[in-house]
């Protein structure tokens, strides 16, 4: 479940559509009680707290504690700038990851987020969290102009900081984002990730091997949009994390009133080039287009 307690952010990243899509309601935020009600309603075992920037949500410490009490797993997604400031509000847990977004080394990342010094603040936050015993992973978006050798250098640097794993996903084109030239077509994504396979294989990827095969063009899958439902101050966002055709008052309404058969590659033009982890990792893990040996691949990946 993608839980967005607010859409406000302290950055204006080039590839992000949230602050633009929800410009009219940017100051709205959920209460902790609303978040927990949505959590129970959905029943998902893993919660990605995102936004916006969750670290500027006033009640984040309490929200995380309440979710952990319910035996859920949390990826706390952040640009990393305020980890040091708010670290005292959290306690290390095997069910809590700080998930820090980094799209390259210092010069590249600061260019992507449109502010100097963000990379250094994020690295300081990672060091502080690791020093305090927390689990930390990073999330990296691959754009059309991404230098794969720089990603290798970034992952090597982060490995030296004892980061616990790496997530990757191709850049996704929000309708609200103006800089469309940074995004890739489906064929360009496959070409990029085929070239990246040897590099990525050297590191502790938290991206499933099935999803990587899909990104590399080795298999086809359909999106499982309902596998990662999004809840935010406007309600349950339908049909998916990236596209907004409606907001629903309840999770049941989202599931029952969304015409899922109308979405996906070959069905909706907006889906043509989307290969994003929010929709396709659920497909990979749930066994869409299963092949012989997939269970063994996933088992080995989990053990590693």
């Amino acid at each position: 479940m993608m839980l967005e307690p607010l859409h406000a952010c302290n950055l204006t990243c080039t590839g992000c559509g949230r602050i633009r899509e929800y410009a009219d309601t940017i100051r709205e935020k959920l209460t902790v009680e609303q978040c927990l009600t949505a959590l129970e309603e959905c029943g998902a075992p893993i919660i990605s707290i995102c936004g916006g920037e969750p670290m500027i949500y006033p009640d984040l410490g309490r929200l995380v504690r309440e979710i952990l009490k319910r035996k859920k797993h949390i990826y706390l997604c952040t640009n990393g700038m305020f980890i040091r400031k708010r670290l005292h509000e959290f306690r290390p847990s095997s069910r809590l990851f700080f998930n820090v977004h980094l799209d390259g080394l210092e010069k590249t990342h600061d260019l992507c987020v449109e502010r100097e010094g963000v990379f250094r603040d994020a690295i300081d936050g990672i060091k502080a969290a690791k020093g305090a015993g927390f689990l930390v992973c990073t999330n990296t978006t691959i754009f059309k102009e991404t230098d794969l050798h720089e990603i290798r250098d970034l992952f090597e640097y982060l490995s030296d900081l004892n980061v616990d794993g790496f997530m990757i996903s191709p850049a996704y084109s929000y309708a609200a984002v103006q800089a469309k030239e940074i995004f890739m077509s489906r064929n360009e994504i496959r070409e990029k990730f085929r070239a990246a396979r040897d590099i990525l294989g050297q590191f502790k990827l938290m991206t499933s091997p099935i999803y990587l095969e899909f990104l590399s063009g080795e298999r086809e899958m359909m999106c499982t949009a309902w596998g990662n439902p999004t809840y935010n101050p406007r309600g349950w966002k339908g049909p998916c994390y990236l596209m907004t055709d409606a907001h629903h008052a309840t999770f049941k309404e989202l599931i029952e009133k969304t015409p899922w058969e109308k979405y996906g590659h070959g069905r909706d033009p907006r889906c043509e080039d989307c290969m994003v982890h929010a929709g396709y990792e659920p497909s990979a893990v749930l066994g869409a287009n299963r092949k012989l040996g997939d269970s063994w691949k996933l088992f080995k990946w989990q053990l590693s």
Side-chain angles (χ1 to χ4, degrees):
M1 172 183 168
M2 315 290 278
L3 175 61
E4 299 176 331
L6 80 175
H7 286 133
C9 189
N10 60 312
L11 296 176
T12 57
C13 303
T14 303
C16 178
R18 275 302 187 266
I19 57 174
R20 297 167 180 88
E21 179 181 357
Y22 290 102
D24 294 340
T25 56
I26 199 72
R27 296 185 182 278
E28 294 182 11
K29 58 180 179 287
L30 296 168
T31 65
V32 171
E33 287 69 31
Q34 285 175 310
C35 292
L36 296 176
T37 297
L39 204 79
E40 298 298 333
E41 199 182 353
C42 174
I46 302 171
I47 314 301
S48 178
I49 304 178
C50 40
E53 172 50 53
M55 285 287 184
I56 63 176
Y57 179 64
D59 294 322
L60 183 62
R62 180 183 161 220
L63 175 61
V64 167
R65 289 192 297 274
E66 291 296 330
I67 294 174
L68 290 176
K69 281 181 185 176
R70 289 158 174 78
K71 307 299 182 184
K72 306 288 187 179
H73 297 263
I74 300 174
Y75 286 101
L76 178 47
C77 304
T78 174
N79 59 40
M81 295 185 70
F82 302 130
I83 290 178
R84 286 177 300 163
K85 179 180 178 180
R86 302 200 63 175
L87 195 61
H88 67 279
E89 299 179 39
F90 311 99
R91 295 292 179 269
S93 167
S94 61
R95 289 183 281 110
L96 171 63
F97 275 90
F98 285 109
N99 185 11
V100 183
H101 195 99
L102 291 171
D103 283 339
L105 292 169
E106 184 170 358
K107 182 179 179 180
T108 299
H109 184 68
D110 286 355
L111 183 65
C112 287
V113 301
E114 303 179 4
R115 185 185 298 180
E116 292 184 3
V118 175
F119 181 85
R120 290 194 298 273
D121 284 344
I123 293 301
D124 288 345
I126 289 172
K127 290 178 178 177
K130 290 303 302 178
F134 288 90
L135 294 169
V136 177
C137 63
T138 60
N139 187 24
T140 298
T141 305
I142 306 296
F143 295 93
K144 183 181 289 188
E145 300 300 326
T146 296
D147 182 342
L148 296 176
H149 294 96
E150 180 177 354
I151 299 303
R152 179 197 60 202
D153 293 343
L154 172 66
F155 286 3
E156 286 179 348
Y157 174 61
L158 294 171
S159 295
D160 289 341
L161 299 181
N162 295 317
V163 165
D164 297 283
F166 307 100
M167 295 181 184
I168 55 167
S169 182
Y172 36 89
S173 178
Y174 285 90
V177 177
Q178 301 302 314
K180 303 295 184 182
E181 68 277 2
I182 66 177
F183 302 111
M184 295 179 282
S185 68
R186 180 166 282 224
N187 286 337
E188 288 172 329
I189 291 171
R190 287 170 169 168
E191 182 179 346
K192 194 88 166 182
F193 276 85
R194 277 196 294 269
R197 287 296 292 272
D198 289 342
I199 293 173
L200 297 174
Q202 303 171 32
F203 301 100
K204 295 183 289 185
L205 291 185
M206 300 177 77
T207 301
S208 77
I210 309 300
Y211 178 52
L212 280 176
E213 288 179 4
F214 168 67
L215 290 177
S216 303
E218 298 173 26
R219 68 166 69 209
E220 290 292 342
M221 289 192 298
M222 284 298 286
C223 171
T224 305
W226 51 265
N228 243 338
T230 300
Y231 185 72
N232 64 39
R234 299 275 301 278
W236 290 98
K237 184 176 181 294
C240 68
Y241 184 69
L242 301 182
M243 299 193 312
T244 310
D245 288 348
H247 289 90
H248 300 274
T250 65
F251 179 68
K252 186 174 187 289
E253 183 181 302
L254 167 70
I255 296 299
E256 293 181 353
K257 293 191 176 181
T258 302
W260 303 106
E261 70 281 357
K262 293 183 179 181
Y263 298 105
H265 182 70
R267 299 172 178 173
D268 188 308
R270 295 170 296 176
C271 305
E272 282 307 290
D273 293 319
C274 180
M275 300 177 78
V276 177
H277 52 3
Y280 285 97
E281 275 287 25
S283 303
V285 174
L286 291 173
N289 195 20
R290 182 179 295 278
K291 293 183 178 180
L292 186 65
D294 283 358
S295 296
W296 176 241
K297 287 177 185 176
L298 289 171
F299 179 68
K300 287 196 299 181
W301 170 59
Q302 289 288 336
L303 289 181
S304 66

